[in-house]
C-alpha cells in the first residue's frame, strides 16, 4: 500500500486546495497574533485566553477552540470531500482501477492520505501559533486550567498531546467527508455536506435536552484536550474521545469502503 | 499466462434498471487477433469493455481475461492486460512523465523501467515534462497507449482510440496499433469507424442494441457478400441476351453496364460465349461489399 499512499500524498501536494487549507490553518494563528499585538484585551472567557499575553504556549490552545467551530471542518472537508469524487469526475478513477492494485488498497491509501492531511493541518496550526506567539510574548511557563504553573517544556509536551487528541475528531470529519465523496461522486456536495454535518454536530451540543448524549457528541471531543491541561491530568475525556472518535471514524470509513469496492465505475 | 483465450465472454448481461445495455453477449478473442468490436453509438461496446476491465459488474454471465474473471479475481485478473475505455484519463496537474510514474508504481515490477521506452514508442518524450492539462487530445490518446504499454501487455483493450483525432493523428494511431499487433499483442479494438476496422482487424464482432449479430473472420464476412460481377461490353443489349441464354440469372443493365450474380464456372463459360458472339469485353469486375455496406445492411436490417 505504501506506493499508493505515497502517490495519494503527491497528488494532494500538486493541488491548490491542499495549500489553501494549509495556508488558512497557518494564517489564522498569525492573524490572532497580529490582532492581539495591536489591540488591548483578549479572549478572557475561553480556556487559557486570559494567559495569552503571558506565554506563547497559550495561543495554540485558544486557536484550537476557535477553529473547531467551522474553520478546521471546512479545511478538512475541502480535501476529504474531494479525494474520491474528483477522481470519479475526472475519470482518473478508472485509470487507477485498471492497474495492478485492488480497490481496497486504493481506498485505504486515500483514507490514510486524508488523515495525514488532517494531522498535518493541526500540527501546522500549532507550530505556527506557538512560534509566532513565543516570538511576541516569550516561551514562558504555562498556567494550566487548574491554575497551577507548568514549565515551558512541560507545556510544550501538553500542547503536543492536545494536538494529537484534537486530531481525532478532525479525523472523524475527514472520514465523513471521504464517505460523502465516495457516495455522492460530487466534490461540491461532499464538501458542503461534510461542513453541514460538522456544524450540525456543533449545534446538537448546545441544544437544550441533549445533556445526556453530550459526552458522546463529536463537538465535545474537540474539548478532550482540556483533560491534559488539568492537574492532575483528567484522563476521562481523553479516553472517551479515543473510543467515541474511533466509532465516528470507523463507521463512515467502513461504509465508504463497501461502496467503493462494489460500485460500478462508469462514465460520470 | 494460462492457455485460456485472452478474452472470453459468455452470456454477458448488463442492465441499468429497465434498460439492457448488454444482452447475452458471447465473445472469444484468440491470441494474436486484432479483434474489431463494431457497433453504432450506444450499442453496448463500451459497457462490454468496462465489464472486461472489471470497472462494472455484469448483471448476468461471465467475462474472463486469460481465464480469470475480473469480478472475482480483482486486479490480478488484469495481469498482462491493459487498455482504456472512453478515452484515457490522466491527472491534468501532473506532467506526462509523472502520470506514467504514478501508474508504473501502481503496477509495480519493471513497469517504471519502461517509462522512457514507451514515451519513445508514442513519440512523447519531448513533451513528457509538461503538464497533461496542456496536452492536445491526440497527445492524451498517445499517452494512454504509453500507459498501457508500461504493463507489457499480452492483451490490449482499446475503446475507440482514434475518436477525436485529426487525420494525421488517426493515421499515426493506426500505424501504432499495427505495429503493436505485429509484435504479437492481442488487440480488442472497439470502434464505429468501419474503415479503421477493415484496415486493422482480422476478426470482428458486430453489436447492435446490446446483442451480437455477427462474430467471425472479417474476410469471411466480406466474402459472404461476394459473387457479383460488373460487365462492360461493346454491345450491352446483345451481351445481356447472351448471358441470359447461358443461364445467368438476374442480369441488370445499369448505366450501360451489366450487373449479375454467378459462380466462377458460369462466368468463364459466358465470357467465351460473348467472344464467340463477336461481343467485345472492355471490363469484367468482381463486386465485393465494403464492411460499411455490410455493417449498415446488418444493423439496419436488425433494427427494422
Amino acid at each position: 500500500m505504501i506506493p499508493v499512499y505515497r502517490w495519494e500524498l503527491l497528488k494532494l501536494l500538486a493541488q491548490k486546495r491542499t495549500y489553501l487549507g494549509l495556508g488558512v490553518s497557518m494564517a489564522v494563528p498569525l492573524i490572532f497574533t497580529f490582532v492581539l499585538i495591536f489591540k488591548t484585551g483578549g479572549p478572557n472567557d475561553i480556556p487559557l485566553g486570559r494567559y495569552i499575553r503571558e506565554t506563547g504556549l497559550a495561543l495554540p490552545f485558544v486557536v484550537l477552540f476557535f477553529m473547531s467551530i467551522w474553520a478546521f471542518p471546512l479545511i478538512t472537508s475541502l480535501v476529504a470531500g474531494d479525494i474520491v469524487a474528483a477522481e470519479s469526475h475526472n475519470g482518473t478513477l478508472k485509470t487507477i482501477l485498471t492497474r495492478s492494485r485492488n480497490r481496497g488498497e486504493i481506498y485505504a491509501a486515500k483514507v490514510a492520505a486524508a488523515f495525514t492531511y488532517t494531522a498535518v493541518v493541526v500540527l501546522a496550526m500549532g507550530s505556527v501559533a506557538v512560534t509566532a506567539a513565543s516570538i511576541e510574548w516569550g516561551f514562558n511557563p504555562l498556567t494550566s486550567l487548574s491554575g497551577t504553573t507548568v514549565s515551558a517544556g512541560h507545556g510544550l509536551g501538553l500542547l503536543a498531546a492536545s494536538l494529537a487528541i484534537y486530531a481525532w475528531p478532525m479525523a472523524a470529519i475527514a472520514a465523513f467527508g471521504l464517505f460523502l465523496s465516495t457516495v455522492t461522486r460530487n466534490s461540491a456536495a461532499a464538501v458542503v455536506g461534510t461542513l453541514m454535518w460538522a456544524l450540525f454536530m456543533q449545534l446538537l451540543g448546545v441544544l437544550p435536552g441533549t445533556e445526556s448524549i453530550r459526552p458522546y457528541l463529536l463537538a465535545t471531543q474537540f474539548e478532550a484536550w482540556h483533560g491534559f491541561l488539568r492537574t492532575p491530568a483528567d484522563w476521562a475525556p481523553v479516553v472517551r474521545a479515543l473510543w467515541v472518535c474511533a466509532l465516528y471514524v470507523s463507521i463512515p470509513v467502513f461504509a465508504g469502503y463497501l461502496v467503493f469496492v462494489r460500485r460500478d465505475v462508469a462514465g460520470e | 499466462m494460462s492457455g485460456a483465450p485472452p478474452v472470453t465472454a459468455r452470456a454477458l448481461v448488463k442492465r441499468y434498471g429497465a434498460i439492457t445495455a448488454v444482452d447475452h453477449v458471447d465473445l472469444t478473442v484468440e491470441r494474436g487477433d486484432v479483434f474489431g468490436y463494431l457497433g453504432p453509438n450506444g450499442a453496448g461496446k463500451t459497457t462490454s469493455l468496462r465489464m472486461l476491465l472489471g470497472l462494472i459488474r455484469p448483471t448476468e454471465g461471465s467475462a474472463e481475461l486469460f481465464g480469470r474473471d475480473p469480478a472475482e479475481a480483482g486486479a490480478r485478473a488484469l495481469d498482462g492486460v491493459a487498455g482504456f475505455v472512453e478515452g484515457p484519463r490522466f491527472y491534468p496537474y501532473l506532467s506526462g512523465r509523472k502520470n506514467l510514474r504514478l501508474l508504473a508504481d501502481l503496477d509495480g515490477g519493471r513497469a517504471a523501467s519502461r517509462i522512457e521506452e514507451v514515451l519513445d514508442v508514442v513519440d512523447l518524450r519531448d513533451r513528457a515534462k509538461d503538464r497533461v492539462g496542456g496536452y492536445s487530445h491526440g497527445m492524451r490518446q498517445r499517452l494512454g497507449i504509453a500507459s498501457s504499454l508500461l504493463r507489457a501487455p499480452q492483451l490490449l483493450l482499446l475503446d475507440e482510440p482514434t475518436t477525436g483525432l485529426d487525420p494525421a493523428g488517426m493515421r499515426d494511431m493506426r500505424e501504432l496499433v499495427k505495429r503493436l499487433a505485429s509484435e504479437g499483442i492481442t488487440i480488442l479494438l472497439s470502434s464505429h469507424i468501419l474503415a479503421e476496422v477493415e484496415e486493422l482487424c482480422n476478426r470482428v464482432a458486430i453489436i447492435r442494441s446490446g446483442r451480437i449479430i455477427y462474430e467471425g473472420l472479417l474476410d469471411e464476412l466480406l466474402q459472404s457478400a461476394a459473387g457479383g460481377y460488373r460487365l462492360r461490353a461493346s454491345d450491352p443489349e446483345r451481351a445481356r441476351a447472351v448471358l441470359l441464354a447461358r443461364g445467368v440469372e438476374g442480369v441488370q443493365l445499369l448505366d450501360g453496364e451489366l450487373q449479375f450474380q454467378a459462380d466462377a464456372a458460369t462466368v468463364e463459360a459466358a465470357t467465351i460465349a460473348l467472344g464467340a458472339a463477336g461481343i467485345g469485353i472492355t471490363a469484367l469486375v468482381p463486386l465485393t461489399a465494403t464492411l460499411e455496406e455490410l455493417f449498415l445492411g446488418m444493423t439496419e436490417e436488425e433494427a427494422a
Side-chain angles (χ1 to χ4, degrees):
Chain A
M1 195 191 98
I2 298 298
V4 193
Y5 169 64
R6 192 174 70 87
W7 272 107
E8 287 301 326
L9 293 181
L10 289 172
K11 282 189 267 181
L12 288 182
L13 287 173
Q15 295 179 73
K16 286 176 187 162
R17 68 175 59 218
T18 307
Y19 296 100
L20 180 67
L22 206 54
V24 169
S25 72
M26 293 193 288
V28 169
L30 290 176
I31 292 168
F32 258 84
T33 306
F34 284 117
V35 169
L36 289 166
I37 289 170
F38 295 109
K39 293 267 187 188
T40 56
N44 293 336
D45 51 346
I46 64 165
L48 302 183
R50 72 183 66 172
Y51 309 117
I52 206 159
R53 288 189 177 82
E54 293 179 10
T55 171
L57 284 166
L59 182 69
F61 294 104
V62 172
V63 177
L64 278 184
F65 174 83
F66 278 106
M67 289 188 78
S68 67
I69 297 166
W70 65 269
F72 269 141
L74 175 62
I75 290 168
T76 305
S77 64
L78 267 179
V79 165
D82 186 66
I83 203 162
V84 176
E87 297 232 31
S88 285
H89 180 73
N90 296 333
T92 47
L93 196 55
K94 67 186 179 193
T95 302
I96 57 176
L97 290 181
T98 49
R99 313 306 289 200
S100 301
R101 302 284 172 174
N102 282 317
R103 289 187 181 203
E105 203 175 351
I106 287 171
Y107 183 77
K110 287 189 175 295
V111 171
F115 287 175
T116 303
Y117 172 76
T118 301
V120 167
V121 160
V122 174
L123 184 65
M125 186 286 294
S127 304
V128 170
V130 78
T131 304
S134 294
I135 290 170
E136 181 60 26
W137 297 296
F139 188 60
N140 303 319
L142 176 72
T143 304
S144 74
L145 292 174
S146 303
T148 55
T149 302
V150 298
S151 68
H154 187 198
L156 193 61
L158 292 176
L159 174 62
S162 298
L163 293 177
I165 197 69
Y166 191 91
W168 268 96
M170 289 279 286
I173 292 174
F176 191 80
L178 210 127
F179 167 72
L180 284 187
S181 187
T182 306
V183 172
T184 65
R185 311 176 192 190
N186 181 311
S187 287
V191 170
V192 173
T194 305
L195 189 58
M196 291 297 105
W197 179 77
L199 292 175
F200 175 70
M201 286 283 141
Q202 300 277 355
L203 183 66
L204 262 184
V206 296
L207 284 179
T210 59
E211 292 80 6
S212 59
I213 60 166
R214 203 165 286 164
Y216 311 104
L217 294 177
L218 187 62
T220 309
Q221 315 319 315
F222 279 109
E223 297 165 3
W225 59 269
H226 292 187
F228 290 126
L229 272 288
R230 299 200 189 281
T231 309
D234 179 7
W235 288 97
V238 175
V239 171
R240 189 173 56 235
L242 286 173
W243 71 261
V244 169
C245 288
L247 287 176
Y248 277 105
V249 166
S250 57
I251 292 170
V253 164
F254 184 63
Y257 167 79
L258 291 180
V259 173
F260 190 82
V261 296
R262 289 160 189 249
R263 67 185 275 190
D264 280 353
V265 179
E268 304 295 326
Chain B
M1 207 65 54
S2 75
V7 176
T8 317
R10 292 290 172 262
L12 199 59
V13 176
K14 184 64 184 179
R15 291 194 192 94
Y16 295 102
I19 297 168
T20 303
V22 172
D23 190 1
H24 293 89
V25 160
D26 290 321
L27 273 183
T28 304
V29 178
E30 302 288 353
R31 282 169 202 270
D33 275 349
V34 180
F35 191 99
Y37 197 32
L38 279 170
N41 289 333
K45 304 187 297 291
T46 300
T47 304
S48 304
L49 291 189
R50 283 197 196 114
M51 285 189 275
L52 289 173
L53 285 169
L55 291 171
I56 61 176
R57 288 172 179 270
T59 309
E60 290 172 25
S62 67
E64 292 184 350
L65 303 171
F66 296 106
R68 300 176 303 249
D69 186 343
E72 304 290 329
R76 283 210 54 234
L78 298 179
D79 286 351
V81 180
F84 52 79
V85 288
E86 291 179 310
R89 300 295 173 88
F90 297 98
Y91 298 97
Y93 46 80
L94 298 178
S95 69
R97 186 178 276 112
K98 273 198 171 175
N99 269 284
L100 292 184
R101 167 69 68 176
L102 184 162
L103 297 175
D105 283 353
L106 296 186
D107 287 335
R110 292 188 57 248
S113 66
R114 292 191 198 99
I115 290 175
E116 299 307 317
E117 177 191 336
V118 300
L119 282 169
D120 279 338
V121 169
V122 300
D123 198 21
L124 270 180
R125 192 194 274 253
D126 291 345
R127 296 291 306 274
K129 65 181 187 308
D130 297 338
R131 287 185 179 189
V132 170
Y135 279 18
S136 68
H137 180 71
M139 290 166 71
R140 289 179 200 210
Q141 295 287 94
R142 281 188 280 148
L143 190 63
I145 297 280
S147 73
S148 298
L149 296 180
L150 281 179
R151 294 169 64 77
Q154 298 299 304
L155 169 65
L156 206 47
L157 304 174
L158 302 176
D159 187 19
E160 305 191 358
T162 58
T163 297
L165 299 183
D166 61 22
M170 291 172 84
R171 179 200 61 206
D172 292 346
M173 183 62 76
R174 284 175 193 160
E175 290 304 317
L176 185 56
V177 170
K178 277 185 196 170
R179 195 170 128 199
L180 297 173
S182 72
E183 290 168 6
I185 298 175
T186 303
I187 296 173
L188 172 54
L189 178 79
S190 150
S191 180
H192 60 266
I193 302 174
L194 302 169
E196 177 177 287
V197 171
E198 201 164 357
E199 182 182 341
L200 297 173
C201 300
N202 65 316
R203 294 183 66 229
V204 294
I206 298 176
I207 184 169
R208 164 92 201 185
S209 302
R211 279 179 291 163
I212 298 289
I213 54 176
Y214 177 83
E215 184 192 350
L217 290 169
L218 178 60
D219 285 346
E220 282 180 6
L221 177 64
L222 294 172
Q223 281 169 13
S224 70
Y229 291 87
R230 184 164 56 83
L231 174 73
R232 197 177 299 157
S234 56
D235 188 341
E237 286 295 347
R238 280 185 59 220
R240 182 167 184 266
V242 169
L243 290 175
L244 290 171
R246 301 299 302 183
V248 177
E249 294 179 351
V251 182
Q252 290 182 300
L253 182 57
L254 299 168
D255 297 331
E257 290 184 347
L258 294 169
Q259 285 191 11
F260 57 90
Q261 296 276 329
D263 59 37
T266 306
V267 172
E268 187 182 338
T271 53
I272 292 168
L274 287 167
I279 300 169
I281 297 172
T282 54
L284 177 61
V285 181
L287 296 174
T288 53
T290 64
L291 181 58
E292 182 176 356
E293 288 165 338
L294 288 166
F295 173 79
L296 291 174
M298 291 170 90
T299 54
E300 286 171 359
E301 176 187 306
E302 184 76 10

